[in-house]
Amino acid sequence: MADDMTSRDVDAAAETAAPSAIPQDELNQITDALIAAFKTVFDPEIPVDIYELGLIYKVDIDDDRKVDIEMTLTAPGCPVAGEMPGWVENAARTVEGVQDVEVQLTFDPPWDPSRMSDEARLALNML
């Protein structure tokens, strides 16, 4: 998942839905900064950030610069289930240009290790 989410993919999805009022350069900057912000949030039980783990399923940036994030956890019984969405929201709010953030937690589809990037697999000696 993490390897798949690029600013180009986010932009393509936005163009398919409707042209964005946000200039493309700014949209690219916000997207790159969001990815960097996601990489500052770690699952406390796994020494890899949530982006590389593939916990971020979807990111939408609307014309008002509101960011809607759909994410999951490695397991529904994760001990930080009540806290991690707040960590992600706080990280996204640090991004310049973002006006509002909403994080939705989902378990459909359930997370599995195939969503991890090669970087995460390497960090966890799974390559």
Side-chain angles (χ1 to χ4, degrees), residues 43-92:
D43 183 314
E45 296 178 340
I46 304 171
V48 176
D49 67 79
I50 62 162
Y51 180 78
E52 296 299 336
L53 280 174
L55 298 182
I56 302 296
Y57 282 0
K58 184 176 168 185
V59 176
D60 287 325
I61 305 167
D62 73 12
D63 290 348
D64 294 325
R65 292 164 179 78
K66 179 183 180 228
V67 178
D68 289 309
I69 302 164
E70 184 176 294
M71 66 169 292
T72 195
L73 302 171
T74 54
C78 179
V80 295
E83 299 171 52
M84 192 176 291
W87 300 342
V88 173
E89 178 181 337
N90 290 340

